[in-house]
Amino acid sequence: MPSAPSPSLWRDHDFRCLWAGQTASQFGAQAGQVTLPLLALVALNADAAQLGALRAAQQIPILLFSLFVGVWVDRWRSRNVMVLADLGRAVALGVVPVAFLLGVLGIPVLLVLAFLVGVLTVFFDVAYQAALVRLVNREQLAQGNSALEGSRSAAQVGGPALGGALVSLLSAPVAVVTGAFFFAVSSLSIRRIRHREAIPTPPYGGRSAPRMGRQILEGLRFVARDPSLRAVGIASALFHFFFAALMTVYLLFLPRTLQLSGVGLVLAAMGPGAVVGSVLAAGLPRRLGHGVVLVSSAVLAEGVMLFVPALHGSGGLTIAALMAINFLFGVFSQLVDVTVMAVRQSITPLPIQGRVVATLNFAGMGLTPLGSLLGGFLATGWGPRTSLLLTVVGLFLSPVFMALSPLARLGKELPAPGGTA
């Protein structure tokens, strides 16, 4: 007998609180990616090296702390982790205008605050993905991920635009407070979740939990031993490596080769496409099969980018074509992201959700600095147009690997959870 369809998550009070909080938090994080660098440039007269250091301080916590945060999220209630992370980010950003008014805000202080915000962002991002699995049924994962990832995609477009507009309309120190406001709203919303989440307890036979190093290794081993998760990690690493190279070349190709002035408008088209992809991901995998959606969407995402090196000029048709390409890339790449997330959440037992999230984030993002260096090297030696074509071809290694892996054989139903690590 087929099971009855699960009720809509929008009727679930706890999910609505999680979604509202995660949405506010994503907008605060994305706005901060713009307001803090602009504050350094406008108010503190930062040079290029200092600006680069500030952006690195915002991003490097992903590589430094993801694996450790995965262990902590598995040991604690994800609701509490999210609330404390958002409160911490609100306080850190609230310090900025106060320090500016007192005349003690400088680049070193801003670097410390940006690094602290980055660390807390790692905590929140790992925790909210683990929280969904602990809050909803397996049958509702696709719908829940669609809503949460749709919010993240909308924030990636609207957050930087909001931050830039506030810096222009107000002042950079005041604009930073916007992020603190969003984080405070998120903390209050998530705090209203009524479900008392049990602390996940791995089966250690009554013994105390092992040390952090051993638990990190458990997460790494679980991903390495499960064929589907191992395939997700390798495919993600291949994609992010070549995508980092592609974006380095892309940012050179648009203004220098095409002499394009509306670079921001062109790149922003990915955001609405990602929102559409999130909506489609709520039901498409259960109709066509998760494996079919993963492989075909990845091929289509990479395929549309092949048209970019063929474009010439900076006229309206070129801009329209680039926006259409980026929109479609956003649709298909987001279909892959949301579907992969649902598969990963379904396979992973509750006690190690946080560590598996962190391990896959670490594997996927670990090679991006090398990819960016590769893009710069190729553009220097081969020129932007040829290098763009080479990096797009490199992107195809990810769907090719997925097609040869167990991911391609996934059906319409999500796979059952695997054994514990």
mmCIF file of all heavy atoms in Angstrom, residues 134-166:
data_model
loop_
_atom_site.group_PDB
_atom_site.id
_atom_site.type_symbol
_atom_site.label_atom_id
_atom_site.label_comp_id
_atom_site.label_asym_id
_atom_site.label_seq_id
_atom_site.Cartn_x
_atom_site.Cartn_y
_atom_site.Cartn_z
ATOM 1 N N ARG A 134 16.487 16.386 12.103
ATOM 2 C CA ARG A 134 15.987 16.067 13.433
ATOM 3 C C ARG A 134 14.578 16.605 13.663
ATOM 4 O O ARG A 134 13.941 16.257 14.657
ATOM 5 C CB ARG A 134 16.934 16.658 14.496
ATOM 6 C CG ARG A 134 18.368 16.144 14.384
ATOM 7 C CD ARG A 134 19.307 16.892 15.309
ATOM 8 N NE ARG A 134 20.706 16.518 15.087
ATOM 9 C CZ ARG A 134 21.739 17.073 15.708
ATOM 10 N NH1 ARG A 134 21.524 18.035 16.594
ATOM 11 N NH2 ARG A 134 22.973 16.700 15.443
ATOM 12 N N LEU A 135 14.105 17.440 12.723
ATOM 13 C CA LEU A 135 12.839 18.129 12.932
ATOM 14 C C LEU A 135 11.704 17.571 12.080
ATOM 15 O O LEU A 135 10.538 17.628 12.479
ATOM 16 C CB LEU A 135 13.020 19.628 12.632
ATOM 17 C CG LEU A 135 11.987 20.598 13.187
ATOM 18 C CD1 LEU A 135 11.960 20.564 14.707
ATOM 19 C CD2 LEU A 135 12.286 22.007 12.694
ATOM 20 N N VAL A 136 12.023 17.045 10.875
ATOM 21 C CA VAL A 136 10.967 16.630 9.947
ATOM 22 C C VAL A 136 11.125 15.147 9.604
ATOM 23 O O VAL A 136 12.148 14.529 9.885
ATOM 24 C CB VAL A 136 11.005 17.476 8.648
ATOM 25 C CG1 VAL A 136 10.937 18.954 8.976
ATOM 26 C CG2 VAL A 136 12.243 17.172 7.811
ATOM 27 N N ASN A 137 10.076 14.587 8.959
ATOM 28 C CA ASN A 137 10.118 13.208 8.515
ATOM 29 C C ASN A 137 10.985 13.070 7.263
ATOM 30 O O ASN A 137 11.219 14.032 6.533
ATOM 31 C CB ASN A 137 8.703 12.711 8.193
ATOM 32 C CG ASN A 137 7.803 12.753 9.414
ATOM 33 O OD1 ASN A 137 8.261 12.531 10.538
ATOM 34 N ND2 ASN A 137 6.537 13.063 9.211
ATOM 35 N N ARG A 138 11.421 11.827 7.001
ATOM 36 C CA ARG A 138 12.236 11.576 5.808
ATOM 37 C C ARG A 138 11.517 12.013 4.538
ATOM 38 O O ARG A 138 12.123 12.546 3.611
ATOM 39 C CB ARG A 138 12.573 10.078 5.712
ATOM 40 C CG ARG A 138 13.770 9.655 6.524
ATOM 41 C CD ARG A 138 13.862 8.136 6.611
ATOM 42 N NE ARG A 138 13.651 7.478 5.328
ATOM 43 C CZ ARG A 138 14.612 7.291 4.411
ATOM 44 N NH1 ARG A 138 15.830 7.732 4.646
ATOM 45 N NH2 ARG A 138 14.350 6.650 3.292
ATOM 46 N N GLU A 139 10.193 11.791 4.490
ATOM 47 C CA GLU A 139 9.429 12.125 3.292
ATOM 48 C C GLU A 139 9.339 13.628 3.062
ATOM 49 O O GLU A 139 8.985 14.078 1.974
ATOM 50 C CB GLU A 139 8.015 11.540 3.382
ATOM 51 C CG GLU A 139 7.964 10.021 3.376
ATOM 52 C CD GLU A 139 8.343 9.418 4.719
ATOM 53 O OE1 GLU A 139 8.428 10.191 5.713
ATOM 54 O OE2 GLU A 139 8.587 8.197 4.781
ATOM 55 N N GLN A 140 9.650 14.422 4.092
ATOM 56 C CA GLN A 140 9.542 15.879 3.989
ATOM 57 C C GLN A 140 10.886 16.553 3.756
ATOM 58 O O GLN A 140 10.953 17.777 3.663
ATOM 59 C CB GLN A 140 8.908 16.443 5.267
ATOM 60 C CG GLN A 140 7.490 15.956 5.527
ATOM 61 C CD GLN A 140 6.978 16.396 6.896
ATOM 62 O OE1 GLN A 140 7.662 16.214 7.898
ATOM 63 N NE2 GLN A 140 5.789 16.981 6.922
ATOM 64 N N LEU A 141 11.965 15.758 3.632
ATOM 65 C CA LEU A 141 13.287 16.346 3.481
ATOM 66 C C LEU A 141 13.407 17.179 2.210
ATOM 67 O O LEU A 141 13.980 18.266 2.210
ATOM 68 C CB LEU A 141 14.365 15.250 3.488
ATOM 69 C CG LEU A 141 14.730 14.662 4.851
ATOM 70 C CD1 LEU A 141 15.739 13.542 4.691
ATOM 71 C CD2 LEU A 141 15.284 15.743 5.766
ATOM 72 N N ALA A 142 12.864 16.665 1.103
ATOM 73 C CA ALA A 142 12.982 17.390 -0.160
ATOM 74 C C ALA A 142 12.279 18.737 -0.076
ATOM 75 O O ALA A 142 12.808 19.770 -0.510
ATOM 76 C CB ALA A 142 12.415 16.559 -1.311
ATOM 77 N N GLN A 143 11.068 18.746 0.509
ATOM 78 C CA GLN A 143 10.327 19.998 0.652
ATOM 79 C C GLN A 143 11.054 20.965 1.583
ATOM 80 O O GLN A 143 11.153 22.163 1.317
ATOM 81 C CB GLN A 143 8.925 19.726 1.172
ATOM 82 C CG GLN A 143 8.053 20.974 1.262
ATOM 83 C CD GLN A 143 6.702 20.700 1.914
ATOM 84 O OE1 GLN A 143 6.414 19.575 2.315
ATOM 85 N NE2 GLN A 143 5.878 21.718 2.019
ATOM 86 N N GLY A 144 11.573 20.442 2.687
ATOM 87 C CA GLY A 144 12.276 21.290 3.637
ATOM 88 C C GLY A 144 13.552 21.868 3.045
ATOM 89 O O GLY A 144 13.838 23.061 3.192
ATOM 90 N N ASN A 145 14.338 21.032 2.363
ATOM 91 C CA ASN A 145 15.555 21.525 1.734
ATOM 92 C C ASN A 145 15.255 22.539 0.647
ATOM 93 O O ASN A 145 15.993 23.513 0.458
ATOM 94 C CB ASN A 145 16.352 20.353 1.139
ATOM 95 C CG ASN A 145 17.128 19.597 2.197
ATOM 96 O OD1 ASN A 145 17.747 20.193 3.058
ATOM 97 N ND2 ASN A 145 17.091 18.277 2.134
ATOM 98 N N SER A 146 14.176 22.316 -0.092
ATOM 99 C CA SER A 146 13.791 23.249 -1.147
ATOM 100 C C SER A 146 13.526 24.634 -0.557
ATOM 101 O O SER A 146 13.982 25.655 -1.089
ATOM 102 C CB SER A 146 12.550 22.740 -1.882
ATOM 103 O OG SER A 146 12.074 23.704 -2.795
ATOM 104 N N ALA A 147 12.801 24.672 0.562
ATOM 105 C CA ALA A 147 12.488 25.956 1.183
ATOM 106 C C ALA A 147 13.732 26.630 1.750
ATOM 107 O O ALA A 147 13.965 27.827 1.541
ATOM 108 C CB ALA A 147 11.448 25.757 2.295
ATOM 109 N N LEU A 148 14.563 25.871 2.459
ATOM 110 C CA LEU A 148 15.752 26.450 3.080
ATOM 111 C C LEU A 148 16.775 26.903 2.040
ATOM 112 O O LEU A 148 17.367 27.978 2.155
ATOM 113 C CB LEU A 148 16.389 25.442 4.039
ATOM 114 C CG LEU A 148 15.560 25.063 5.274
ATOM 115 C CD1 LEU A 148 16.289 24.012 6.097
ATOM 116 C CD2 LEU A 148 15.259 26.281 6.137
ATOM 117 N N GLU A 149 16.984 26.081 1.020
ATOM 118 C CA GLU A 149 17.958 26.457 -0.005
ATOM 119 C C GLU A 149 17.424 27.571 -0.893
ATOM 120 O O GLU A 149 18.195 28.373 -1.429
ATOM 121 C CB GLU A 149 18.342 25.236 -0.839
ATOM 122 C CG GLU A 149 19.129 24.199 -0.057
ATOM 123 C CD GLU A 149 20.358 24.814 0.612
ATOM 124 O OE1 GLU A 149 21.264 25.269 -0.103
ATOM 125 O OE2 GLU A 149 20.395 24.872 1.851
ATOM 126 N N GLY A 150 16.104 27.642 -1.058
ATOM 127 C CA GLY A 150 15.525 28.771 -1.778
ATOM 128 C C GLY A 150 15.794 30.081 -1.048
ATOM 129 O O GLY A 150 16.106 31.104 -1.664
ATOM 130 N N SER A 151 15.677 30.051 0.281
ATOM 131 C CA SER A 151 15.985 31.236 1.074
ATOM 132 C C SER A 151 17.452 31.618 0.947
ATOM 133 O O SER A 151 17.801 32.797 0.824
ATOM 134 C CB SER A 151 15.653 30.982 2.543
ATOM 135 O OG SER A 151 14.274 30.765 2.715
ATOM 136 N N ARG A 152 18.313 30.606 0.985
ATOM 137 C CA ARG A 152 19.745 30.890 0.863
ATOM 138 C C ARG A 152 20.058 31.527 -0.486
ATOM 139 O O ARG A 152 20.855 32.462 -0.586
ATOM 140 C CB ARG A 152 20.553 29.604 1.040
ATOM 141 C CG ARG A 152 22.059 29.805 1.017
ATOM 142 C CD ARG A 152 22.779 28.524 1.387
ATOM 143 N NE ARG A 152 22.575 27.487 0.400
ATOM 144 C CZ ARG A 152 23.342 27.323 -0.690
ATOM 145 N NH1 ARG A 152 24.359 28.137 -0.905
ATOM 146 N NH2 ARG A 152 23.093 26.358 -1.535
ATOM 147 N N SER A 153 19.419 31.018 -1.546
ATOM 148 C CA SER A 153 19.655 31.570 -2.879
ATOM 149 C C SER A 153 19.147 33.004 -2.978
ATOM 150 O O SER A 153 19.809 33.872 -3.558
ATOM 151 C CB SER A 153 18.963 30.700 -3.935
ATOM 152 O OG SER A 153 19.459 29.382 -3.896
ATOM 153 N N ALA A 154 17.959 33.257 -2.403
ATOM 154 C CA ALA A 154 17.426 34.617 -2.419
ATOM 155 C C ALA A 154 18.342 35.564 -1.647
ATOM 156 O O ALA A 154 18.563 36.712 -2.054
ATOM 157 C CB ALA A 154 16.023 34.630 -1.821
ATOM 158 N N ALA A 155 18.898 35.081 -0.531
ATOM 159 C CA ALA A 155 19.805 35.919 0.253
ATOM 160 C C ALA A 155 21.093 36.202 -0.496
ATOM 161 O O ALA A 155 21.680 37.284 -0.358
ATOM 162 C CB ALA A 155 20.111 35.243 1.593
ATOM 163 N N GLN A 156 21.566 35.253 -1.298
ATOM 164 C CA GLN A 156 22.790 35.472 -2.065
ATOM 165 C C GLN A 156 22.625 36.595 -3.068
ATOM 166 O O GLN A 156 23.597 37.246 -3.453
ATOM 167 C CB GLN A 156 23.202 34.178 -2.771
ATOM 168 C CG GLN A 156 23.780 33.136 -1.828
ATOM 169 C CD GLN A 156 24.080 31.829 -2.526
ATOM 170 O OE1 GLN A 156 23.483 31.494 -3.552
ATOM 171 N NE2 GLN A 156 25.013 31.065 -1.988
ATOM 172 N N VAL A 157 21.388 36.820 -3.521
ATOM 173 C CA VAL A 157 21.119 37.920 -4.444
ATOM 174 C C VAL A 157 20.769 39.195 -3.672
ATOM 175 O O VAL A 157 21.349 40.258 -3.886
ATOM 176 C CB VAL A 157 19.964 37.566 -5.407
ATOM 177 C CG1 VAL A 157 19.679 38.723 -6.348
ATOM 178 C CG2 VAL A 157 20.311 36.323 -6.204
ATOM 179 N N GLY A 158 19.803 39.079 -2.755
ATOM 180 C CA GLY A 158 19.295 40.263 -2.077
ATOM 181 C C GLY A 158 20.188 40.790 -0.975
ATOM 182 O O GLY A 158 20.214 41.995 -0.720
ATOM 183 N N GLY A 159 20.942 39.894 -0.295
ATOM 184 C CA GLY A 159 21.778 40.328 0.816
ATOM 185 C C GLY A 159 22.860 41.316 0.410
ATOM 186 O O GLY A 159 22.952 42.415 0.979
ATOM 187 N N PRO A 160 23.722 40.973 -0.576
ATOM 188 C CA PRO A 160 24.733 41.941 -1.006
ATOM 189 C C PRO A 160 24.131 43.228 -1.551
ATOM 190 O O PRO A 160 24.672 44.326 -1.318
ATOM 191 C CB PRO A 160 25.497 41.176 -2.103
ATOM 192 C CG PRO A 160 25.297 39.735 -1.766
ATOM 193 C CD PRO A 160 23.910 39.660 -1.202
ATOM 194 N N ALA A 161 23.015 43.113 -2.300
ATOM 195 C CA ALA A 161 22.374 44.322 -2.829
ATOM 196 C C ALA A 161 21.879 45.208 -1.688
ATOM 197 O O ALA A 161 22.038 46.435 -1.720
ATOM 198 C CB ALA A 161 21.210 43.937 -3.742
ATOM 199 N N LEU A 162 21.282 44.595 -0.657
ATOM 200 C CA LEU A 162 20.815 45.360 0.491
ATOM 201 C C LEU A 162 21.974 46.017 1.225
ATOM 202 O O LEU A 162 21.916 47.191 1.593
ATOM 203 C CB LEU A 162 20.043 44.439 1.437
ATOM 204 C CG LEU A 162 19.563 45.056 2.752
ATOM 205 C CD1 LEU A 162 18.566 46.169 2.489
ATOM 206 C CD2 LEU A 162 18.949 43.987 3.655
ATOM 207 N N GLY A 163 23.047 45.250 1.435
ATOM 208 C CA GLY A 163 24.202 45.805 2.124
ATOM 209 C C GLY A 163 24.808 46.979 1.378
ATOM 210 O O GLY A 163 25.132 48.017 1.971
ATOM 211 N N GLY A 164 24.962 46.837 0.048
ATOM 212 C CA GLY A 164 25.510 47.924 -0.745
ATOM 213 C C GLY A 164 24.621 49.153 -0.734
ATOM 214 O O GLY A 164 25.104 50.295 -0.652
ATOM 215 N N ALA A 165 23.299 48.941 -0.807
ATOM 216 C CA ALA A 165 22.371 50.077 -0.793
ATOM 217 C C ALA A 165 22.415 50.809 0.534
ATOM 218 O O ALA A 165 22.386 52.050 0.582
ATOM 219 C CB ALA A 165 20.957 49.583 -1.081
ATOM 220 N N LEU A 166 22.511 50.079 1.648
ATOM 221 C CA LEU A 166 22.541 50.723 2.963
ATOM 222 C C LEU A 166 23.822 51.516 3.176
ATOM 223 O O LEU A 166 23.808 52.578 3.805
ATOM 224 C CB LEU A 166 22.380 49.666 4.060
ATOM 225 C CG LEU A 166 20.980 49.041 4.172
ATOM 226 C CD1 LEU A 166 20.986 47.895 5.161
ATOM 227 C CD2 LEU A 166 19.964 50.097 4.600
#
